[in-house]
Amino acid sequence: MTGLTFASWWDAANACHNDDPWSDPELYAFVCDGTQIGFLPAKVWNVVCRYVEEAQIPLQLDATTRVMTFSCSCNSFDARTMAINRLAQLLRENGEFPDPLNACALFGLATFGVHLTAFTPDGRIWVPKRSETKATWPGRYDNTVGGGISAGDTPYDTIVRECGEEASLESEFVKKHLRSVGVITYFYKTELGFRQPEMQFLYDLPLPTNDVVLAPNDDEAQSFELMDKDTVLHHIYANEFKPNCTLVLLDFFIRHGWLTPDNEPNYTKLAALLHTPLRLPTP
């Protein structure tokens, strides 16, 4: 762990929601069909300019307006997907930016995922610890189940599948007890300055008994353990959770009445922070 600790929910939440790219004049805009879809730091813009020219990627970059957009000939979903994939592959092959970094982070594109919290009748939460071999946040605590939504998938189908892959839960059991509980949105700025606007679709899985046991079913997690709310909060304040998991758990604490205006001075600010408008295209 980094050794960093947080003094409050507000500090912990802002370690993930730590950016407002719309207010940063140093960023370049990625625009598609007249709508901004992403944000590029100058170091990405400068490298992309070179690759677009040398590899003839169908993108146009205007330094005066600070806008990158697709060329007129690149006007279909498939063509645009191929163009970005080709550019990202070239950047990766030539080691232009450090791994692990995906194209969405490079270009500041919004990503969408699912997160689920499974909890027992006595109010304990199943918490996995990420594998030490994970490329991102190895060894950190995580939400019970989570994952990115692939193009063409629905949040519901994604979370049901991830429950089987990550926590060894049968799909019929999940479908019977699953509850959709909303979304959260936030802007995350990495230590290297890349922008990651994110929207997470949230689910609760209230387990019918204390005897249901969750266990890893792939290499995502190394273990699962049950934690009461005080233990969860201790690990949050110790900066031992993957950053966006703190926001998911904050939402859970609010919805389940564990965090209230009576015990949290920043209650209204925290509730608003979880639903920051991305001002980008979303589902």
Side-chain angles (χ1 to χ4, degrees), residues 30-33 37 57-61 68-77 79-84:
F30 188 0
V31 173
C32 180
D33 294 335
I37 61 173
I57 307 294
L59 291 166
Q60 294 178 335
L61 295 94
M68 179 177 85
T69 189
F70 292 101
S71 301
C72 295
S73 60
C74 191
N75 56 11
S76 70
F77 174 83
R80 291 168 175 175
T81 300
M82 288 177 61
I84 293 299

Side-chain angles (χ1 to χ4, degrees), residues 42-59:
K43 59 185 175 182
V44 176
W45 173 275
N46 293 334
V47 172
V48 168
C49 284
R50 175 161 50 87
Y51 276 79
V52 165
E53 181 177 351
E54 293 177 358
Q56 297 184 328
I57 307 294
L59 291 166

Side-chain angles (χ1 to χ4, degrees), residues 8-20 183-188 198-200 202 243-251 254 259 264 266-278:
S8 66
W9 266 112
W10 183 248
D11 290 342
N14 278 281
C16 178
H17 181 75
N18 60 358
D19 187 40
D20 178 10
V183 299
I184 61 172
T185 51
Y186 52 92
F187 290 104
Y188 179 61
E198 297 191 356
M199 173 180 283
Q200 303 292 345
L202 304 187
N244 68 342
C245 296
T246 293
L247 298 185
V248 175
L249 288 165
L250 171 60
D251 180 84
I254 290 174
L259 196 68
E264 173 51 58
N266 292 307
Y267 181 86
T268 55
K269 289 198 299 182
L270 287 165
L273 180 146
L274 293 172
H275 304 97
T276 299
L278 297 182

Side-chain angles (χ1 to χ4, degrees), residues 200-215:
Q200 303 292 345
F201 292 79
L202 304 187
Y203 295 86
D204 278 357
L205 188 67
L207 302 174
T209 71
N210 291 330
D211 300 326
V212 179
V213 176
L214 277 62

Side-chain angles (χ1 to χ4, degrees), residues 220-278:
E220 297 289 318
Q222 57 179 295
S223 62
F224 275 86
E225 60 183 293
L226 277 172
M227 295 184 185
D228 61 29
K229 63 180 180 180
D230 291 334
T231 303
V232 170
L233 187 57
H234 168 79
H235 289 301
I236 287 173
Y237 280 14
N239 193 27
E240 294 175 352
F241 271 91
K242 179 172 172 278
N244 68 342
C245 296
T246 293
L247 298 185
V248 175
L249 288 165
L250 171 60
D251 180 84
F252 185 90
F253 270 57
I254 290 174
R255 289 187 293 100
H256 288 262
W258 295 353
L259 196 68
T260 71
D262 296 321
N263 63 24
E264 173 51 58
N266 292 307
Y267 181 86
T268 55
K269 289 198 299 182
L270 287 165
L273 180 146
L274 293 172
H275 304 97
T276 299
L278 297 182

Side-chain angles (χ1 to χ4, degrees), residues 147-170:
I149 304 173
S150 300
D153 279 357
T154 66
Y156 179 83
D157 290 338
T158 301
I159 198 61
V160 171
R161 182 180 64 251
E162 294 288 348
C163 280
E165 293 178 355
E166 294 187 1
S168 306
L169 291 167
E170 297 291 338

